[in-house]
């Protein structure tokens, strides 16, 4: 992969979409007590909290046995507590999750391997509820699912391979073209950026990883182009070139750029989950997961909510 030599530049650091203003951990506005009608997110949140409680119980069981993995387990458990708090937002304090585990979640004696499997199952259960959730909660579920997958990897599960980008199926009325065009533009920038990354890495495993990521972003770019074309619009073209967020001159700065690209894309895809109609949410959620795993592999700091910026404190009602 040779770095492009074009002279037209755009700010690569701006590929991250501006996050919507939020007043809660999941970007949702606190429920209006005067609003009429049932909260359709209520059963989704109950299922997500129940699955998370099963996880917390497994962590607690495993932490009763001293070992050298205790610091890691405590860190992952603390993040899981944050997940539960966010997922339970808006639930009445008298509401409690079902006493039986979510059907898709199995429980076995806790070991690092079974805990990793439970994290993976929890990730899948959150994705299964994407279509049933309103946009802000869908965004949160996709983010927590990505974090669950990252936890599974930290506990020793094999790193999941990127999922091939699906070809567009039946389009859905109301599919937001501006959001898709922004995601496509972000992938154009990522493809360019990885050309620079690969050119500054030695011919070793890191360069192999860069080639793999480069191909994955090309595939995702092509998938968005096909979907946009199916919707009757013209896909946004790649810019002539892109200004890097910092100079890339050696393997260290090259890996920093790769981490920056993937971290920026997690925000793009978390927002896209909320913007897309239900049938297309899994594609964006899968892209969020894949970018989260690649960002981790390149050394980016892990966060409890991939793709969701640290929230502002929730205003108190007066």
């Amino acid at each position: 992969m040779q770095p492009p030599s074009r002279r037209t530049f755009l700010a690569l650091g701006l590929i991250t979409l501006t996050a919507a203003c939020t007043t809660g951990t999941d970007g949702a506005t606190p429920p209006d007590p005067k609003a009429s009608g049932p909260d359709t997110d209520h059963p989704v949140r109950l299922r997500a909290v129940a699955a998370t409680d099963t996880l917390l119980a497994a962590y607690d069981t495993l932490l009763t046995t001293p070992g050298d993995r205790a610091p890691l387990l405590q860190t992952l458990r603390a993040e899981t507590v944050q997940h539960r708090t966010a997922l339970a937002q808006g639930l009445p304090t008298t509401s409690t999750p079902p006493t039986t585990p979510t059907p898709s979640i199995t429980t076995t004696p806790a070991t690092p391997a079974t805990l990793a499997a439970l994290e993976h199952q929890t990730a899948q259960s959150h994705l299964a509820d994407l279509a049933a959730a309103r946009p802000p909660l869908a965004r949160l579920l996709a983010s927590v699912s990505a974090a669950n997958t990252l936890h599974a990897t930290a506990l020793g599960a094999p790193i999941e391979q990127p999922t091939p980008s699906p070809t567009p199926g039946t389009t859905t009325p109301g599919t937001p073209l501006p959001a898709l065009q922004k995601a496509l533009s972000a992938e154009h920038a990522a493809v360019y950026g990885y050309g620079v990354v690969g050119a500054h890495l030695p011919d070793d495993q890191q360069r192999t990883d860069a080639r793999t990521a480069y191909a994955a972003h090309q595939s995702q770019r092509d998938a968005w182009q096909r979907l946009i074309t199916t919707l009757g619009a013209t896909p946004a073209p790649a810019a002539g070139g892109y200004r890097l967020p910092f100079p890339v001159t050696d393997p260290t700065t090259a890996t920093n750029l790769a981490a920056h690209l993937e971290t920026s894309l997690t925000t793009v895809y978390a927002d896209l989950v909320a913007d897309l109609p239900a049938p297309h949410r899994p594609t964006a959620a899968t892209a969020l997961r894949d970018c989260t795993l690649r960002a981790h592999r390149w050394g980016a700091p892990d966060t409890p909510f991939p793709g969701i910026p640290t929230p502002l404190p929730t205003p108190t009602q007066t």
Side-chain angles (χ1 to χ4, degrees):
M1 295 176 293
Q2 296 299 319
S5 59
R6 303 179 182 93
R7 296 183 179 180
T8 304
F9 295 101
L10 296 176
L12 186 60
L14 295 181
I15 67 171
T16 302
L17 299 183
T18 302
C21 295
T22 63
T23 54
T25 305
D26 63 351
T29 301
D32 181 359
K34 299 179 181 179
S36 60
D39 180 2
T40 56
D41 279 345
H42 186 91
V44 178
R45 287 185 181 275
L46 282 178
R47 287 192 293 271
V49 169
T52 305
D53 282 344
T54 301
L55 259 182
L56 288 171
Y59 273 107
D60 290 340
T61 299
L62 198 54
L63 280 166
T64 60
T65 305
D68 56 1
R69 305 199 78 176
L72 171 63
L73 293 173
Q74 290 168 349
T75 297
L76 298 183
R77 186 191 184 282
E79 290 190 355
T80 304
V81 170
Q82 294 182 63
H83 296 163
R84 190 193 191 284
T85 300
L87 292 166
Q89 185 179 1
L91 291 178
T93 55
T94 56
S95 295
T96 57
T99 55
T100 56
T102 303
S104 61
I105 303 297
T106 58
T107 55
T108 56
T111 66
T114 59
L115 187 55
L118 189 58
E119 286 277 13
H120 177 72
Q121 292 176 48
T122 305
Q124 294 303 114
S125 72
H126 292 330
L127 294 183
D129 258 337
L130 284 180
R134 289 183 294 183
L137 180 56
R139 175 173 175 254
L140 175 63
L141 289 171
S143 175
V144 173
S145 177
N148 291 141
T149 303
L150 197 57
H151 287 186
T153 301
L155 290 165
I159 297 177
E160 294 193 24
Q161 296 301 313
T163 303
S165 301
T167 55
T170 303
T171 57
T172 304
T175 301
L177 278 170
L180 290 174
Q181 296 283 23
K182 288 179 181 178
L184 173 58
S185 295
E187 288 293 354
H188 281 316
V191 169
Y192 177 97
Y194 268 103
V196 177
V197 169
H200 288 85
L201 293 176
D203 192 9
D204 59 9
Q205 184 59 48
Q206 280 194 323
R207 180 174 285 188
T208 299
D209 291 343
R211 289 195 183 105
T212 300
Y214 180 79
H217 287 295
Q218 284 182 313
S219 177
Q220 188 62 73
R221 174 202 63 191
D222 294 346
W224 294 136
Q225 287 177 326
R226 290 192 297 270
L227 179 55
I228 291 170
T229 299
T230 302
L231 292 169
T234 301
Y242 298 83
R243 178 177 296 136
L244 303 179
F246 46 80
V248 177
T249 57
D250 54 29
T252 298
T253 51
T255 57
N256 289 343
L257 176 60
H260 171 84
L261 289 168
E262 300 294 354
T263 301
S264 297
L265 280 164
T266 62
T267 303
V268 171
Y269 285 124
D271 289 345
L272 189 60
V273 170
D275 289 334
L276 289 176
H280 294 300
R281 286 176 182 171
T283 301
T286 298
L288 168 60
R289 180 204 67 190
D290 292 344
C291 291
T292 298
L293 292 173
R294 283 192 292 262
H296 172 79
R297 190 176 183 88
W298 289 116
D302 297 333
T303 67
F305 300 97
I308 299 180
T310 302
L312 298 174
T314 301
T316 57
Q317 294 182 352
T318 58

mmCIF file of all heavy atoms in Angstrom, residues 15 21 30 44-45 48 76 79 104 113 127 147 171-173 184 189 234 258 270-271 273 290 300 304 306-307 311:
data_model
loop_
_atom_site.group_PDB
_atom_site.id
_atom_site.type_symbol
_atom_site.label_atom_id
_atom_site.label_comp_id
_atom_site.label_asym_id
_atom_site.label_seq_id
_atom_site.Cartn_x
_atom_site.Cartn_y
_atom_site.Cartn_z
ATOM 1 N N ILE A 15 -13.421 13.273 10.218
ATOM 2 C CA ILE A 15 -14.310 12.218 9.733
ATOM 3 C C ILE A 15 -15.266 11.778 10.821
ATOM 4 O O ILE A 15 -16.271 11.157 10.535
ATOM 5 C CB ILE A 15 -13.525 11.000 9.212
ATOM 6 C CG1 ILE A 15 -12.785 10.290 10.361
ATOM 7 C CG2 ILE A 15 -12.575 11.380 8.126
ATOM 8 C CD1 ILE A 15 -12.182 8.986 9.938
ATOM 9 N N CYS A 21 -26.244 16.160 20.779
ATOM 10 C CA CYS A 21 -26.226 16.602 22.163
ATOM 11 C C CYS A 21 -27.038 15.625 22.995
ATOM 12 O O CYS A 21 -28.142 15.252 22.617
ATOM 13 C CB CYS A 21 -26.830 18.000 22.290
ATOM 14 S SG CYS A 21 -25.854 19.256 21.444
ATOM 15 N N PRO A 30 -34.100 12.359 29.126
ATOM 16 C CA PRO A 30 -34.817 11.720 30.229
ATOM 17 C C PRO A 30 -36.308 11.655 29.934
ATOM 18 O O PRO A 30 -36.879 12.564 29.328
ATOM 19 C CB PRO A 30 -34.523 12.655 31.418
ATOM 20 C CG PRO A 30 -33.234 13.301 31.073
ATOM 21 C CD PRO A 30 -33.270 13.478 29.579
ATOM 22 N N VAL A 44 -37.241 -3.809 26.362
ATOM 23 C CA VAL A 44 -35.886 -3.978 25.841
ATOM 24 C C VAL A 44 -34.860 -3.720 26.939
ATOM 25 O O VAL A 44 -33.890 -4.479 27.122
ATOM 26 C CB VAL A 44 -35.635 -3.034 24.643
ATOM 27 C CG1 VAL A 44 -34.202 -3.169 24.134
ATOM 28 C CG2 VAL A 44 -36.622 -3.319 23.523
ATOM 29 N N ARG A 45 -35.084 -2.659 27.700
ATOM 30 C CA ARG A 45 -34.165 -2.343 28.796
ATOM 31 C C ARG A 45 -34.187 -3.443 29.864
ATOM 32 O O ARG A 45 -33.146 -3.796 30.417
ATOM 33 C CB ARG A 45 -34.523 -0.987 29.404
ATOM 34 C CG ARG A 45 -34.157 0.199 28.509
ATOM 35 C CD ARG A 45 -34.413 1.520 29.224
ATOM 36 N NE ARG A 45 -34.094 2.661 28.365
ATOM 37 C CZ ARG A 45 -32.872 3.181 28.229
ATOM 38 N NH1 ARG A 45 -31.863 2.660 28.892
ATOM 39 N NH2 ARG A 45 -32.665 4.220 27.442
ATOM 40 N N ALA A 48 -32.085 -6.290 28.634
ATOM 41 C CA ALA A 48 -30.664 -5.946 28.638
ATOM 42 C C ALA A 48 -30.108 -5.929 30.059
ATOM 43 O O ALA A 48 -28.978 -6.391 30.309
ATOM 44 C CB ALA A 48 -30.454 -4.592 27.968
ATOM 45 N N LEU A 76 -13.072 -5.056 34.158
ATOM 46 C CA LEU A 76 -14.175 -5.410 33.263
ATOM 47 C C LEU A 76 -15.509 -5.383 34.012
ATOM 48 O O LEU A 76 -16.533 -4.966 33.458
ATOM 49 C CB LEU A 76 -13.942 -6.797 32.662
ATOM 50 C CG LEU A 76 -12.684 -6.956 31.796
ATOM 51 C CD1 LEU A 76 -12.619 -8.358 31.207
ATOM 52 C CD2 LEU A 76 -12.626 -5.905 30.694
ATOM 53 N N GLU A 79 -16.722 -1.801 34.312
ATOM 54 C CA GLU A 79 -17.336 -1.333 33.069
ATOM 55 C C GLU A 79 -18.734 -1.925 32.903
ATOM 56 O O GLU A 79 -19.659 -1.250 32.415
ATOM 57 C CB GLU A 79 -16.455 -1.703 31.874
ATOM 58 C CG GLU A 79 -15.147 -0.925 31.810
ATOM 59 C CD GLU A 79 -14.403 -1.125 30.505
ATOM 60 O OE1 GLU A 79 -14.861 -1.944 29.676
ATOM 61 O OE2 GLU A 79 -13.366 -0.472 30.316
ATOM 62 N N SER A 104 -31.640 -16.365 25.822
ATOM 63 C CA SER A 104 -30.452 -16.556 24.994
ATOM 64 C C SER A 104 -29.165 -16.608 25.803
ATOM 65 O O SER A 104 -28.097 -16.852 25.269
ATOM 66 C CB SER A 104 -30.348 -15.433 23.956
ATOM 67 O OG SER A 104 -30.237 -14.185 24.603
ATOM 68 N N ALA A 113 -12.875 -18.746 30.643
ATOM 69 C CA ALA A 113 -13.387 -19.165 29.335
ATOM 70 C C ALA A 113 -14.909 -19.063 29.276
ATOM 71 O O ALA A 113 -15.473 -18.575 28.284
ATOM 72 C CB ALA A 113 -12.939 -20.590 29.032
ATOM 73 N N LEU A 127 -27.641 -7.187 20.343
ATOM 74 C CA LEU A 127 -27.845 -6.953 18.910
ATOM 75 C C LEU A 127 -29.212 -7.469 18.463
ATOM 76 O O LEU A 127 -29.840 -6.888 17.568
ATOM 77 C CB LEU A 127 -26.749 -7.637 18.097
ATOM 78 C CG LEU A 127 -25.317 -7.103 18.274
ATOM 79 C CD1 LEU A 127 -24.362 -7.838 17.346
ATOM 80 C CD2 LEU A 127 -25.259 -5.600 18.020
ATOM 81 N N ALA A 147 -18.540 -3.429 23.390
ATOM 82 C CA ALA A 147 -17.739 -3.534 24.606
ATOM 83 C C ALA A 147 -17.737 -4.966 25.133
ATOM 84 O O ALA A 147 -16.702 -5.474 25.583
ATOM 85 C CB ALA A 147 -18.265 -2.575 25.668
ATOM 86 N N THR A 171 -34.447 -2.059 0.176
ATOM 87 C CA THR A 171 -34.248 -0.769 0.833
ATOM 88 C C THR A 171 -35.480 -0.412 1.654
ATOM 89 O O THR A 171 -36.564 -0.905 1.423
ATOM 90 C CB THR A 171 -33.981 0.337 -0.198
ATOM 91 O OG1 THR A 171 -35.075 0.385 -1.120
ATOM 92 C CG2 THR A 171 -32.702 0.065 -0.955
ATOM 93 N N THR A 172 -35.254 0.440 2.626
ATOM 94 C CA THR A 172 -36.315 0.823 3.550
ATOM 95 C C THR A 172 -36.654 2.287 3.358
ATOM 96 O O THR A 172 -35.750 3.124 3.334
ATOM 97 C CB THR A 172 -35.867 0.595 5.005
ATOM 98 O OG1 THR A 172 -35.471 -0.768 5.144
ATOM 99 C CG2 THR A 172 -36.981 0.899 5.977
ATOM 100 N N PRO A 173 -37.941 2.625 3.218
ATOM 101 C CA PRO A 173 -38.301 4.036 3.107
ATOM 102 C C PRO A 173 -37.780 4.817 4.307
ATOM 103 O O PRO A 173 -37.820 4.347 5.442
ATOM 104 C CB PRO A 173 -39.837 3.996 3.099
ATOM 105 C CG PRO A 173 -40.173 2.630 2.600
ATOM 106 C CD PRO A 173 -39.101 1.734 3.140
ATOM 107 N N LEU A 184 -19.887 6.838 4.323
ATOM 108 C CA LEU A 184 -19.089 6.552 3.130
ATOM 109 C C LEU A 184 -17.865 7.461 3.074
ATOM 110 O O LEU A 184 -16.746 7.003 2.793
ATOM 111 C CB LEU A 184 -19.944 6.726 1.875
ATOM 112 C CG LEU A 184 -19.209 6.631 0.536
ATOM 113 C CD1 LEU A 184 -18.503 5.288 0.390
ATOM 114 C CD2 LEU A 184 -20.186 6.865 -0.620
ATOM 115 N N ALA A 189 -11.894 8.210 3.757
ATOM 116 C CA ALA A 189 -10.754 8.746 4.508
ATOM 117 C C ALA A 189 -9.943 7.628 5.146
ATOM 118 O O ALA A 189 -8.708 7.687 5.196
ATOM 119 C CB ALA A 189 -11.253 9.719 5.577
ATOM 120 N N THR A 234 -26.375 9.259 -5.821
ATOM 121 C CA THR A 234 -24.990 9.116 -6.266
ATOM 122 C C THR A 234 -24.075 9.095 -5.050
ATOM 123 O O THR A 234 -24.086 10.034 -4.248
ATOM 124 C CB THR A 234 -24.589 10.279 -7.178
ATOM 125 O OG1 THR A 234 -25.460 10.301 -8.317
ATOM 126 C CG2 THR A 234 -23.144 10.128 -7.648
ATOM 127 N N ALA A 258 -3.474 4.578 12.731
ATOM 128 C CA ALA A 258 -4.442 3.488 12.586
ATOM 129 C C ALA A 258 -5.428 3.484 13.758
ATOM 130 O O ALA A 258 -6.640 3.334 13.564
ATOM 131 C CB ALA A 258 -3.714 2.149 12.496
ATOM 132 N N ALA A 270 -21.605 4.298 15.653
ATOM 133 C CA ALA A 270 -22.565 4.361 16.759
ATOM 134 C C ALA A 270 -23.700 5.314 16.397
ATOM 135 O O ALA A 270 -24.885 5.023 16.620
ATOM 136 C CB ALA A 270 -21.876 4.800 18.043
ATOM 137 N N ASP A 271 -23.357 6.464 15.836
ATOM 138 C CA ASP A 271 -24.377 7.423 15.416
ATOM 139 C C ASP A 271 -25.225 6.854 14.268
ATOM 140 O O ASP A 271 -26.431 7.087 14.197
ATOM 141 C CB ASP A 271 -23.726 8.730 14.979
ATOM 142 C CG ASP A 271 -23.149 9.522 16.141
ATOM 143 O OD1 ASP A 271 -23.502 9.206 17.294
ATOM 144 O OD2 ASP A 271 -22.345 10.440 15.901
ATOM 145 N N VAL A 273 -26.047 3.762 13.727
ATOM 146 C CA VAL A 273 -27.032 2.811 14.250
ATOM 147 C C VAL A 273 -28.319 3.541 14.618
ATOM 148 O O VAL A 273 -29.425 3.080 14.338
ATOM 149 C CB VAL A 273 -26.471 2.058 15.473
ATOM 150 C CG1 VAL A 273 -27.577 1.263 16.169
ATOM 151 C CG2 VAL A 273 -25.344 1.115 15.063
ATOM 152 N N ASP A 290 -16.369 -4.125 14.694
ATOM 153 C CA ASP A 290 -15.106 -4.397 14.013
ATOM 154 C C ASP A 290 -14.104 -3.261 14.212
ATOM 155 O O ASP A 290 -12.911 -3.502 14.435
ATOM 156 C CB ASP A 290 -15.346 -4.637 12.523
ATOM 157 C CG ASP A 290 -16.115 -5.926 12.252
ATOM 158 O OD1 ASP A 290 -16.202 -6.770 13.170
ATOM 159 O OD2 ASP A 290 -16.638 -6.082 11.128
ATOM 160 N N ALA A 300 -5.346 1.685 20.878
ATOM 161 C CA ALA A 300 -6.204 2.780 21.344
ATOM 162 C C ALA A 300 -6.749 2.441 22.728
ATOM 163 O O ALA A 300 -7.010 1.274 23.033
ATOM 164 C CB ALA A 300 -7.358 2.999 20.373
ATOM 165 N N PRO A 304 -15.707 2.183 28.084
ATOM 166 C CA PRO A 304 -16.887 1.363 28.384
ATOM 167 C C PRO A 304 -17.959 1.433 27.297
ATOM 168 O O PRO A 304 -18.720 0.491 27.127
ATOM 169 C CB PRO A 304 -17.404 1.958 29.699
ATOM 170 C CG PRO A 304 -16.261 2.705 30.283
ATOM 171 C CD PRO A 304 -15.477 3.207 29.117
ATOM 172 N N PRO A 306 -17.885 2.166 23.473
ATOM 173 C CA PRO A 306 -17.252 2.486 22.192
ATOM 174 C C PRO A 306 -18.171 3.301 21.292
ATOM 175 O O PRO A 306 -19.346 2.979 21.113
ATOM 176 C CB PRO A 306 -16.979 1.101 21.589
ATOM 177 C CG PRO A 306 -16.876 0.192 22.769
ATOM 178 C CD PRO A 306 -17.875 0.718 23.750
ATOM 179 N N GLY A 307 -17.621 4.382 20.763
ATOM 180 C CA GLY A 307 -18.376 5.210 19.824
ATOM 181 C C GLY A 307 -19.252 6.257 20.465
ATOM 182 O O GLY A 307 -19.779 7.125 19.772
ATOM 183 N N PRO A 311 -20.406 11.141 28.468
ATOM 184 C CA PRO A 311 -21.585 12.021 28.574
ATOM 185 C C PRO A 311 -21.420 13.110 29.582
ATOM 186 O O PRO A 311 -20.613 13.031 30.521
ATOM 187 C CB PRO A 311 -22.682 11.046 29.012
ATOM 188 C CG PRO A 311 -21.947 10.019 29.815
ATOM 189 C CD PRO A 311 -20.612 9.861 29.117
#
